[in-house]
Every structure is written in C-alpha cells, then in structure tokens.
C-alpha cells in the first residue's frame, strides 16, 4: 500500500476541495487524469473525476479509502480541456469540481451506466467465432452477417450492417438468440464534411475579412467582426469554417440561442451536412452526449452551440467564433457565473487559434479592446447587395393618446405598409396583457406577495403571474381591498397590443411571438416558417423576434417603448437599449425594398436617442465609453459582486458587513473600492431578502489576487451559513 499512488478526485458541489483516494483494487487500468471514478462517499457512492495523481496524502491511513472502480479507460477530458476548466474555476472563483461537472453532458455525470451511447452495434461472440460457414449454406444472410463481423473484433453498427448487407432486423435477432453475436456499443462513425455547396460570391469587404483571419490561422489572434445587420457576417463565418475544416481542423461557433437561429443552422447544415454538430439545452440528454462524444473524438469537425458548448472537448480546434458577442445570454446568471464569450478568448489563447467576435452592435468592452490594440477590427459597414440600412425615425408620443400602445401616427404608417402589401414588425419586450392591474376606486395594485414587483396580467390565461418568482393566482373579478369591480390594466404587454392591432386591422393575419405563444415544443419553428412563407403581414413580438431572423419582406419596424432603457438604474442600461434598438431595426428592409424604423418615445430630445438615431451605433458607443471612463465604470475598471439572500431580513446585510470587514483587512495597499452593502434592485424576491456588495478595482490583477484570499475567508464566516451567497466576477447585471 505504501507504493500506491494517491488519486485526487473532484466532485460536483459547493466545497472547494479535492478528495484523496487509493486506486481501486485489482484495476486493469493505469490511472489517468481526466477519467471518471466511482468512489465510496459517506454511506453511498459518487462519481468523481481524477484531477491529479500524488505520492502522498494528509488523510490518515485508517480513513483513506479505495476508489471502487475506474469508469473510463481513456480520459473524458484531455489536458487542454482541464486547463481551460482550471482557469475558469480560478477566475470565477467557483469550486473546481462543480466547474468540471458543468462541462460534462448530464448522462456522464450520473451513476448509472445507461449512457447516451446506446448499444448500437453487434459483434461476434466466442461461440460465433467457431461457427462453420459450411453449416450456413441454407442461410446466406446469416452467413453474410457472420462473415462481415469476422472482419472486425470491435463489431459494427446495426444500421450500417443492415444497409450494406441488405438484411433485416430479424436476421440479427436470430443470431443474437443463437448466442453467436452480442450487442455492443460502437463509437459513432465519423461525420466528415462531404461537400461544400456554396453559390454565393463574397463581396470585397467580406473577402477582406476572410483573408485577414485566414492569414492568422494556426495562432491565437482575437478579431472583432463589426458588421451591420444584414452585412453578411454569417457568410464570412461559413467560408472560414470551411477553410479550417479543409485543413483537417475543428471549428466552434457559439450562438446566443439555438431556437432563435434556425436559419443560421439551416445554412450550415445545408452546406456542410452532418459534419455540423449542434449542442443546446433543449436536446435530449442522450443525444447531447452522442454529439459531444463525436466532437471529443475529433469525429465531427464543426460545433454550433450555446453558452456551455464553449467547454466541449475538441482536440483539433482551429477556429472559434462568437456570434452576437454582445448578447447577455453568454453570461451564465446563476451558479457558475461564467462568460462564454470571455472563455472563448481564453480557449483560443490556450489552444492557439483565432477567435472572432461578431456583432452589429459590439459590446463596449470589445470596442475598447479594439482601441487598445488587443483585438483586430474587421468591418462590414454595408448591407449585402442593394439592401440599405433603414433610417431610424423618432415618434414623439408626449401628450399623445395611445391605443393599446399604438400612437395614431404609427397606426397610419402601418396602414400604408399593409396597403402596399409589405410586412410590418412591432416590437415590445413585455409579454402578457398588461404589466399590472389597478383598482380604479382605491388604487390597489397587483403586487406580488413574494417580490417587490407587480404581477403581470395574462388575460388569455386569466391569470396574474409574477415574472420574477413564477407566483400565479386567478385573475380577480373585483378589487380584493375595496370590492370595486372597476379593475383596469396599466401599461401594455404583447397580448394587449395584439388586441389593438386586431381591432385596427381586422382580418389581417398576425403572428405574435413571445414565450407564451411559443411555449409548445416546435411551436416557434412552425410559426417562423409560416412567417417566412409570407402568411402574416403583421408580426408582433418580444426579443424572441428581434434576434438574427431574416424576414426579407419586412419593411416597417416599430419599437413601441424604449424609454425604460434611457433611465435604467444599471449603468449598462443605455448600452443594452441601443443594442436592442439596432438589433430590432436590423429586421427592416433586408432585401430589395427599403425599410424604415419608427421608435415611439416620450424623450425624443434625450442626447443618447439623438446620437443613436442621427449618427449611429459607433458615435453612440464613443460617447457611452467617454461616460464610462469619466465614472470609472467597466471597461475602465473591474468589478466583483458578492450577492447574499435569506428568508430572514437581516441576515444578508450581517453577512455582507462581515465580508466587507474581512475584505478591507486583506486590501493591503488599498487599491480596491468597496460599495455597499446595499439592497439589491429588487430587494425582495421569491420571499427572500437580497443585498449585495460591489468591489471595484482599476486593475484586474490586484483584484484577483485579493479575491482568492477573500473567498476562502468568507467561506469560513459563521454568518455565511445563514445566507445563500455567490460571487459574480465581471457582473453584467446587478439584479
Ligand atoms: P448578417 O449575419 O451580417 O446579418 P447574413 O450573413 O445573414 O448577414 O446575410 C444576409 C443575407 O445576405 C443572407 O440571405 C445571405 O445569404 C446573403 N448574402 C451574404 N453575403 C452575400 C453575398 N456576398 N452576395 C449575395 N448575398 C449574400
Ligand atoms: Zn379597490
Ligand atoms: Zn414574485
């Protein structure tokens, strides 16, 4: 036993430790970092991943246990994958075991061996190997099957056998019953890219962008592809990915949400077939593992995926692209709070390949990285072909009576558009009928009993529904306070706009797209394809409708309410507003007919609105960056947010006060600033009181050196046990 190596094993969970074990008894395999082990844990057993092999341990010999078995013979995660995960755990100060398990498909995290890779193949048994071919003269199909299987000891996929030998399931079943063959698992066969079908000639700007990245293949180099909506960014991605795959390498394309990019997927699949693997949260677990395995084994060259796809092992990675890099969905907002965009850059640096961040409205962080010379900018300033960027027109709605959110001027423009047989798209980022109901007699409001928020009125569902905690109750017939039946909606959601549109344009087919109207599986795809087929002159929706879609016949886009974005409490509010406006505006006039964009606002003179509509995103971004610099906000500083919540109102603040005390003591040269503790913007949510503490630093390095020590100290605070707390490095929202 003295010579036994010590296995250091990571387990998922909140504890920031690795666990020491002895190797399993009589194991035929050499321990390898990145393999899974089943280990005894308490009264049961768990699955862990081997992170390191050591000579010694501090665990006393009588408490040191043996692992039960080594599950994988080959590492599931290679050294470069683990390097990225180590980096992420350290940077985001999240427990390593949790980070590692986050990177694995669910099927591989569990005890059971019913993994996603079904027993898809058969192979000869020892008995089958002794069968005399002569004896099968009367059964040519069985003979053919035996012959084929005798060529390989690993077996073959059933579907391939049936196809090649022109045999049926029945033949396989007969031999299984005879015990001549047995089921086995065959690694999925490779999915090479078979053909490239691409008829589009790149324009000169696209070609320039492709060439400049092309020249950097084989080494790390970050690019910002800043191309207006409809400028052909996707085509640039396609060409570069083809090139990389042609060199025998793999390419990773991250997208914000798969459901919202069916057209992008179709384009890739059409041109590169099953060489394109897709990973996103709506996949069945087994399917996800199968795709993951083919990428890990290098059997598939291309992965298109959402946030967590950034961790997928790809041994020959040659290019990473992050589409819509400014999108908030790249930041995980709970648990392991990483930014997939930022990790994509780290991964590119670690494996030595170019990383392209693409957007029509780049984040201020990325724009600053360009001016600092860290990223190379590639520009596509014009739309492809004859399409023009649509003008942005402000509609002043001060003192204007709105009908279901629509101003008379807007209704007139809609009438014109529909009269010309063109399509109009209306955008309102709020689902439901109205954000609240009020009693006209006493002023009662539909407050959520569990949150500092109002419950949204969903008229079709006859519900009041809190969008923050999920709390629901039946729509009241009368005021619970004074009994008055005079309850009225305040403000509007998409349902109410839909109702107004149907009143003004009876008989005009309308498609409403929000989470309520597309909650059924497949509903979104269905409605999108009907829109594409031109069935709906009127489109109405939340941001589900704003992103990525290419609706060639839309000429009029109307944004019903932008004003929240101008005065949001968050210093990022105006950036988000500008990105969303341009994203939505980008749906107009994408083909032959020119488009226009109407923006309803009560603040038409607001300087940011003026800048954005008159001079465009870049001018807006310059101004916004100046403001950030003056206020020393990111990207001119770095932030960490410590959040705490508890059902007991005073606990979060007590904890944060202790945390700040410890943090100040560790802040040797005083380079960090502490803001708070303050109540969270929504101080009560789902029955819990929430508060946070913001730490800011002009430089990243001292912040991170301090952070590591701080986290290990606050973990030990007795106050920490009374709250749920979390660390958010580079927070994107203060919520
Ligand atoms: P973006 O991703 O920048 O919004 P897309 O790549 O989706 O733009 O391009 C918009 C449309 O223009 C697509 O239908 C695409 O097929 C087409 N397109 C792109 N590049 C070219 C080109 N060079 N010539 C003709 N059509 C193009
Ligand atoms: Zn009342
Ligand atoms: Zn609520």
């Amino acid at each position: 036993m003295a010579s036994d190596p010590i296995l250091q094993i990571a387990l998922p969970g909140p504890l920031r430790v690795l666990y020491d074990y002895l190797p399993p008894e009589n194991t035929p395999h050499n321990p390898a970092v990145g393999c899974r082990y089943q280990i005894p844990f308490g009264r049961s057993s768990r699955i862990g991943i081997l992170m390191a092999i050591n000579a010694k341990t501090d665990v006393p010999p009588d408490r040191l246990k043996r692992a039960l078995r080594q599950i994988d013979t080959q590492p599931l995660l290679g050294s470069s994958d683990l390097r990225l995960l180590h980096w992420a755990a350290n940077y985001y100060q999240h427990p390593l075991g949790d980070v590692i398990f986050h990177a694995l498909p669910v099927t591989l995290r569990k005890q059971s061996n019913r993994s996603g890779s079904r027993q898809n193949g058969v192979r000869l048994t020892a008995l089958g190997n002794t069968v005399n071919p002569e004896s099968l003269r009367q059964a040519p199909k069985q003979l053919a099957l035996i012959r084929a299987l005798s060529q390989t000891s690993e077996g073959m996929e059933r579907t391939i056998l049936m196809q090649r030998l022109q045999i049926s399931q029945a033949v396989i079943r007969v031999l299984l019953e005879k015990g001549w063959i047995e089921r086995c698992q065959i690694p999925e066969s490779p999915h090479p890219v078979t053909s490239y079908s691409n008829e589009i000639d790149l324009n000169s700007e696209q070609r320039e962008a492709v060439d400049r990245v092309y020249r950097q293949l084989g080494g790390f180099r970050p690019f910002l592809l800043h191309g207006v909506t409809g400028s052909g960014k996707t085509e640039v991605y396609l060409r570069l990915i083809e090139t990389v795959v042609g060199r025998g390498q793999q390419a990773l394309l991250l997208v914000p949400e798969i459901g919202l990019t069916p057209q992008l997927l179709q384009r890739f699949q059409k041109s590169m077939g099953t060489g394109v693997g897709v990973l996103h949260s709506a996949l069945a677990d087994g399917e996800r593992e199968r795709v993951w395995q083919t990428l890990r084994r290098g059997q598939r060259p291309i992965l298109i995926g959402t946030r967590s796809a950034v961790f997928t092992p790809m041994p020959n990675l040659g290019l990473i692209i992050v589409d819509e890099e400014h999108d908030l969905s790249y930041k995980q907002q709970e648990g392991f709070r990483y930014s997939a965009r930022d990790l994509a850059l780290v991964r590119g640096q670690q494996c030595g390949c170019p990383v392209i961040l693409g957007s029509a409205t780049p984040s201020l962080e990325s724009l600053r990285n360009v001016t600092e010379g860290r990223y190379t900018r590639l520009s596509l300033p014009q739309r492809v072909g004859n399409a023009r960027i649509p003008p942005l027109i402000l509609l002043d709605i001060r003192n204007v009576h709105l009908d279901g959110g629509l101003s008379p001027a807007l209704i007139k423009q809609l009438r014109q558009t529909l009269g010309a047989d063109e399509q109009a798209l209306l955008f309102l980022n709020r689902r439901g009928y109205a954000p609240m109901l009020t009693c006209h007699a006493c002023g009662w409001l539909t407050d959520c009993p569990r949150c500092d928020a109002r419950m949204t009125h969903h008229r079709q569902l006859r519900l009041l529904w809190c969008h923050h905690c999920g709390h629901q109750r039946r729509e009241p017939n009368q005021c619970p306070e004074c009994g008055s039946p005079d309850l009225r909606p305040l403000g509007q959601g998409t349902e109410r706009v839909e109702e107004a549109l149907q009143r003004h344009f009876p008989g005009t087919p309308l498609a409403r797209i929000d989470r309520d109207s597309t909650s059924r599986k497949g509903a979104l795809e269905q409605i999108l394809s009907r829109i594409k087929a031109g069935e709906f002159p009127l489109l109405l929706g939340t941001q589900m409708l704003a992103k990525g879609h290419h609706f060639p016949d839309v000429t009029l886009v109307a944004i019903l309410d932008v004003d929240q974005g101008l005065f949001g409490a968050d210093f990022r509010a105006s950036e988000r507003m500008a990105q969303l406006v341009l994203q939505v505006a980008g749906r107009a006039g994408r083909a032959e007919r020119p488009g226009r964009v109407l923006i309803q606002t009560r603040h038409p003179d607001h300087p940011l609105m003026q800048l954005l509509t008159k001079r465009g995103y870049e001018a807006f971004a310059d101004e916004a960056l100046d403001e950030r610099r003056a206020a020393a906000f990111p990207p001119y500083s770095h932030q960490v947010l410590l959040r705490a919540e508890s059902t007991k109102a005073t606990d979060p603040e007590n904890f944060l006060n202790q945390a700040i005390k410890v943090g100040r003591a560790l802040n040797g040269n005083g380079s960090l600033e502490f803001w708070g503790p303050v109540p969270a913007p929504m101080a009560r949510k789902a029955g819990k009181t929430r508060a946070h503490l913001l730490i800011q630093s002009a430089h990243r390095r001292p912040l991170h050196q301090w952070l590591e020590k701080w986290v290990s100290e606050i973990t030990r605070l007795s106050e920490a046990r009374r709250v749920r707390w979390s660390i958010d490095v580079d927070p994107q929202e203060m919520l």
Side-chain angles (χ1 to χ4, degrees):
M1 187 160 125
S3 64
D4 264 333
I6 302 297
L7 309 184
Q8 281 210 301
I9 292 195
L11 293 175
L15 294 183
R16 294 162 193 269
V17 287
L18 297 176
Y19 299 84
D20 286 357
Y21 283 88
L22 290 167
E25 207 106 48
N26 310 321
T27 172
H29 312 299
N30 287 328
V33 169
C35 287
R36 288 172 306 156
Y37 283 77
Q38 188 178 4
I39 49 167
F41 199 87
R43 290 211 198 128
S44 61
S45 74
R46 296 181 67 182
I47 303 282
I49 288 231
L50 180 58
M51 299 307 296
I53 303 169
N54 283 346
K56 313 195 286 250
T57 174
D58 294 336
V59 180
D62 56 319
R63 300 203 28 213
L64 192 60
K65 292 191 182 148
R66 277 196 185 279
L68 300 172
R69 67 186 177 112
Q70 180 173 338
I71 298 172
D72 309 299
T73 53
Q74 300 289 324
L76 270 186
L77 298 167
S79 58
S80 60
D81 307 315
L82 290 171
R83 207 163 129 218
L84 179 68
L85 296 167
H86 270 288
W87 192 97
N90 185 46
Y91 184 84
Y92 293 105
Q93 281 298 304
H94 195 77
L96 180 64
D98 224 38
V99 170
I100 304 254
F101 275 80
H102 188 88
L104 293 180
V106 187
T107 43
L108 297 175
R109 299 177 202 169
K110 290 193 236 151
Q111 290 277 6
S112 94
N113 241 352
R114 266 191 303 117
S115 83
S117 343
R118 305 149 296 162
Q119 299 210 310
N120 55 347
V122 287
R123 65 182 166 209
L124 279 192
T125 58
L127 182 63
N129 258 317
T130 65
V131 171
N132 178 3
E134 285 297 309
S135 70
L136 285 174
R137 280 251 285 277
Q138 306 303 318
K141 293 202 165 156
Q142 294 184 25
L143 180 61
L145 186 52
I146 295 277
R147 284 225 163 104
L149 287 176
S150 65
Q151 312 285 316
T152 156
S153 59
E154 282 158 20
M156 291 173 75
E157 267 181 75
R158 282 197 298 266
T159 48
I160 292 183
L161 281 167
M162 284 157 58
Q163 219 173 40
R164 267 202 215 141
L165 307 176
Q166 295 290 308
I167 60 173
S168 66
Q169 281 283 15
V171 183
I172 294 178
R173 213 174 309 124
V174 168
L175 293 201
L176 279 170
E177 276 160 17
K178 289 185 179 172
W180 292 355
I181 63 175
E182 62 189 359
R183 292 199 172 84
C184 65
Q185 187 193 313
I186 308 284
E188 212 173 316
S189 21
H191 295 273
V193 170
T194 39
S195 67
Y196 302 106
S197 64
N198 216 325
E199 312 90 40
I200 292 180
D201 288 325
L202 297 186
N203 63 32
S204 61
E205 280 124 2
Q206 288 170 314
R207 215 173 311 123
E208 158 103 12
V210 168
D211 286 347
R212 287 177 66 188
V213 180
Y214 178 81
R215 287 199 292 272
Q216 302 297 332
L217 291 180
F220 173 60
R221 184 71 168 256
F223 291 93
L224 176 67
L225 177 61
H226 184 182
V228 298
T229 51
S231 59
K233 293 184 288 297
T234 313
E235 213 53 48
V236 170
Y237 305 156
L238 261 170
R239 287 314 156 88
L240 282 164
I241 288 176
E242 278 176 10
T243 308
V244 166
V245 171
R247 289 159 60 119
Q249 290 187 302
Q250 292 175 295
L252 169 62
L253 169 58
L254 295 178
V255 294
E257 274 171 83
I258 290 279
L260 304 185
T261 45
Q263 288 152 352
L264 179 135
L265 274 190
Q266 280 162 16
R267 262 159 86 187
F268 274 83
Q269 283 168 340
K270 189 174 141 224
S271 101
M272 299 184 220
T274 62
V276 182
V278 182
L279 286 177
H280 56 91
S281 57
L283 283 186
D285 290 343
E287 176 63 13
R288 190 162 355 169
E289 186 197 329
R290 277 194 290 282
V291 174
W292 189 88
Q293 294 282 20
T294 56
L295 289 152
R296 182 180 76 81
R297 296 198 191 95
Q299 293 174 321
R300 232 195 201 108
I302 302 158
L303 171 58
I304 300 181
T306 47
R307 191 168 60 218
S308 66
V310 74
F311 298 113
T312 311
M314 296 174 75
N316 309 312
L317 194 55
L319 178 67
I320 304 176
I321 300 171
V322 184
D323 191 28
E324 311 287 6
E325 65 91 24
H326 64 277
D327 200 288
L328 201 53
S329 66
Y330 287 121
K331 178 80 199 259
Q332 175 135 309
Q333 305 281 15
E334 56 185 35
F336 171 28
R337 296 168 188 259
Y338 64 96
S339 156
R341 176 197 63 198
D342 295 349
L343 286 178
L345 286 152
V346 174
R347 187 165 183 185
Q349 191 164 29
Q350 289 184 347
C351 76
C353 74
V355 179
I356 304 175
L357 307 183
S359 178
T361 51
S363 62
L364 297 184
E365 276 87 353
S366 296
L367 288 172
R368 171 152 195 254
N369 278 321
V370 169
T371 44
E372 298 279 299
R374 284 190 286 268
Y375 298 175
T376 304
R377 186 204 294 263
L378 308 168
S379 291
L380 302 177
Q382 266 147 43
R383 283 195 162 173
V384 166
N386 295 325
R388 289 284 154 267
I389 295 287
L392 304 178
I393 302 155
L394 294 175
L395 283 187
D396 185 352
I397 52 168
R398 283 173 295 186
N399 303 316
V400 168
H401 173 75
L402 299 183
D403 180 4
L406 310 172
S407 62
L410 174 56
I411 293 171
K412 197 169 141 207
Q413 299 266 358
L414 284 170
R415 186 152 285 136
Q416 255 178 29
T417 303
L418 296 175
D421 261 341
E422 295 171 355
Q423 235 172 358
L425 182 156
L426 294 92
F427 172 79
L428 178 66
N429 215 7
R430 206 182 297 118
R431 66 200 173 95
Y433 188 78
M436 62 194 101
L437 279 181
T438 180
C439 168
H440 203 61
C442 77
W444 172 81
L445 288 170
T446 48
D447 287 325
C448 173
R450 311 174 67 215
C451 304
D452 289 340
R454 318 266 180 252
M455 298 179 76
T456 301
H457 183 205
H458 286 253
R459 195 160 169 176
Q460 287 169 357
L461 299 168
R462 310 188 70 82
L463 276 181
L464 296 177
W465 185 352
C466 174
H467 290 181
H468 303 282
C469 72
H471 183 72
Q472 294 183 339
R473 53 171 287 188
R474 280 235 342 260
E475 165 192 88
N477 295 324
Q478 57 185 55
C479 173
E481 289 288 318
C482 73
S484 159
D486 191 4
L487 299 180
R488 300 185 186 180
L490 273 187
Q492 40 266 320
T494 45
E495 264 184 44
R496 194 174 186 191
V497 179
E498 177 180 24
E499 184 193 82
L501 285 169
Q502 281 167 342
R503 223 173 331 103
H504 286 281
F505 305 101
T508 305
L510 177 153
R512 190 186 101 213
I513 295 198
D514 54 33
R515 271 204 291 160
D516 299 324
S517 69
T518 58
S519 55
R520 227 176 0 93
K521 198 171 152 60
L524 179 62
E525 290 76 12
Q526 199 188 352
I527 201 163
L528 286 174
S529 71
R530 288 177 63 194
I531 292 174
K532 251 184 115 181
E535 281 186 43
F536 303 103
L538 280 172
L539 311 177
L540 163 67
T542 57
Q543 56 180 335
M544 294 184 80
L545 195 57
K547 292 181 183 177
H549 306 293
H550 185 60
F551 303 127
D553 299 327
V554 169
T555 56
L556 176 67
V557 162
I559 300 175
L560 299 188
D561 181 10
V562 286
D563 291 343
Q564 299 155 298
L566 290 173
F567 302 99
D570 194 319
F571 69 88
R572 286 191 171 84
S574 62
E575 177 186 357
R576 303 260 177 254
M577 183 272 297
Q579 288 164 345
L580 195 56
V581 165
L582 290 194
Q583 213 54 230
V584 181
R587 301 315 107 210
R590 288 173 70 93
E592 293 304 313
R593 300 201 238 182
R596 60 196 192 288
V597 180
L598 305 177
I599 304 174
Q600 295 193 144
T601 175
R602 289 199 166 81
H603 304 275
D605 304 322
H606 193 288
L608 287 178
M609 272 329 283
Q610 285 293 328
L611 205 56
L612 186 63
T613 51
K614 300 267 160 18
R615 296 180 42 220
Y617 187 74
E618 263 168 280
F620 164 84
D622 283 346
E623 181 76 28
L625 275 168
D626 283 347
E627 282 178 15
R628 298 267 187 101
R629 184 189 288 120
F633 278 141
Y636 298 94
S637 63
H638 306 278
Q639 296 181 332
V640 170
L641 193 67
L642 174 61
R643 291 185 178 84
E645 60 174 39
S646 166
T647 44
K648 195 160 159 250
T650 50
D651 283 346
E653 209 168 313
N654 287 344
F655 164 68
L656 294 173
N657 277 324
Q658 284 306 312
I660 206 172
K661 213 183 271 172
V662 177
R664 283 222 162 93
L666 290 170
N667 181 22
N669 58 6
S671 68
L672 307 182
E673 286 174 67
F674 295 83
W675 294 355
V678 292
M682 190 176 293
R684 216 168 56 91
K685 183 172 164 183
K688 295 202 169 109
T689 302
R690 312 155 77 229
H692 64 225
L693 170 63
L694 186 69
I695 301 95
Q696 185 168 302
S697 166
H699 302 285
R700 192 175 289 291
R701 192 176 255 271
L703 179 62
H704 269 84
Q705 283 167 347
W706 167 87
L707 182 61
E708 205 174 323
K709 290 184 241 151
W710 189 51
V711 169
S712 82
E713 296 228 354
I714 58 179
T715 309
R716 290 198 291 265
L717 289 175
S718 62
E719 288 83 357
R721 263 171 266 140
R722 288 199 281 275
V723 297
R724 234 179 71 157
W725 62 275
S726 64
I727 291 282
D728 192 348
V729 176
D730 307 329
Q732 294 296 308
E733 288 182 308
M734 298 294 158
L735 297 179

